[in-house]
Amino acid sequence: MRYELYYWPTIQGRGEFVRLALEEAGVDYVDVARQRGKRGVPAMMKFIDGTRIARPPFAPPFLRAGKLLIGQTANILLYLGGRLGLAPRDEAGRLWVHQLQLTITDLVVLIHDTHHPITGYLYYEEQRAAAKLATKYFWRYRLPKFLHYFERVLDKSGGPYVLGRKLCYVDLSLSRSSRGCATPSPSE
C-alpha cells in the first residue's frame, strides 16, 4: 500500500514524527503537500475544508491509508507502529508506546508555548517578553522533569531503546524532539 502523508511543506513540526517512521520502515509513501500545483497544498486543503469528507481531519498531519483517513500525530503512529514493525505486537506494549508518544506530544506543546506563550496568532516578536519568561520556567522546571522521566524509561528498558533492544517509533520521536528543541536559552 502506498501511504499519503499530508502536512505543511515548509515546516517540519508534528509531521516530521510521521515522516521519520515512514522513512525508517522504508515504505512507499508520498508527501502530498510537497508536490507542485494542485496536487500539493490545494489537495491537502480539500480534505480539511471539504464538505464531502465524512470524517474530516481538524488539521495536518493526517495520513491516508487506503480508505482510512487518520489524523493526529500520535494516532497516526499508533496505526503505523504495528504495521511497520515499529511497535510491539501485544496490546499492552502498543498502549505503552502510545502513552510515551502522547507524553512527547505534551512536551512538544510546551516547547511551542515558549515561543508563543500568549497566543499562536501573534508573532514571537510581539510576545518576546512573555516568551522569555515562559522559556525561563520551561528550562528550569518542565524540561528537566520530562528528560528525567525518559531517562528512567530508558534505564528500565535494559537496552538502548525504550523497548530495550528493539527500535520503535517513540525512539525516532525522542531523537527528533531532542534535535528539534530549538527553544531559546533563558539568557537570550
Side-chain angles (χ1 to χ4, degrees):
M1 168 187 327
R2 185 176 204 198
Y3 296 102
E4 294 177 2
L5 173 63
Y6 294 82
Y7 194 67
W8 303 110
T10 57
I11 60 173
Q12 292 178 335
R14 296 168 291 127
E16 192 68 9
F17 297 112
V18 179
R19 285 186 191 111
L20 286 170
L22 293 166
E23 289 290 332
E24 176 65 29
V27 297
D28 186 24
Y29 80 97
V30 60
D31 206 333
V32 175
R34 289 186 173 177
Q35 295 183 7
R36 297 181 189 263
K38 293 180 182 179
R39 296 184 329 187
V41 172
M44 179 175 73
M45 296 310 293
K46 283 183 182 179
F47 281 102
I48 295 171
D49 298 334
T51 56
R52 292 189 277 174
I53 307 297
R55 296 176 177 159
F58 175 71
F62 52 93
L63 182 81
R64 190 168 177 183
K67 293 183 180 183
L68 292 176
L69 191 62
I70 306 156
Q72 297 289 347
T73 302
N75 201 33
I76 295 166
L77 292 171
L78 176 66
Y79 172 80
L80 289 173
R83 287 162 178 78
L84 304 182
L86 293 171
R89 294 185 188 276
D90 65 295
E91 182 178 34
R94 282 192 315 275
L95 290 173
W96 167 243
V97 169
H98 185 60
Q99 174 183 318
L100 293 173
Q101 187 66 42
L102 290 169
T103 304
I104 293 169
T105 300
D106 292 342
L107 174 59
V108 170
V109 168
L110 289 170
I111 292 168
H112 174 270
D113 288 351
T114 64
H115 294 85
H116 302 282
I118 298 171
T119 179
Y121 292 103
L122 293 174
Y123 290 105
Y124 168 75
E125 291 77 18
E126 298 173 285
Q127 50 192 321
R128 187 181 308 250
K132 285 183 177 184
L133 185 60
T135 299
K136 174 184 172 181
Y137 286 100
F138 171 75
W139 276 93
R140 185 177 295 161
Y141 298 109
R142 299 304 289 161
L143 184 59
K145 191 172 186 174
F146 279 90
L147 294 177
H148 178 70
Y149 173 72
F150 283 111
E151 286 172 358
R152 280 190 1 241
V153 168
L154 283 167
D155 286 345
K156 289 178 180 249
S157 77
Y161 306 114
V162 297
L163 295 176
R165 299 199 181 278
K166 180 147 174 47
L167 178 85
C168 71
Y169 64 81
V170 167
D171 297 296
L172 299 170
S173 295
L174 283 172
S175 168
R176 175 67 194 128
S177 295
S178 64
R179 287 190 319 236
C181 190
T183 306
S185 69
S187 62
E188 290 182 350

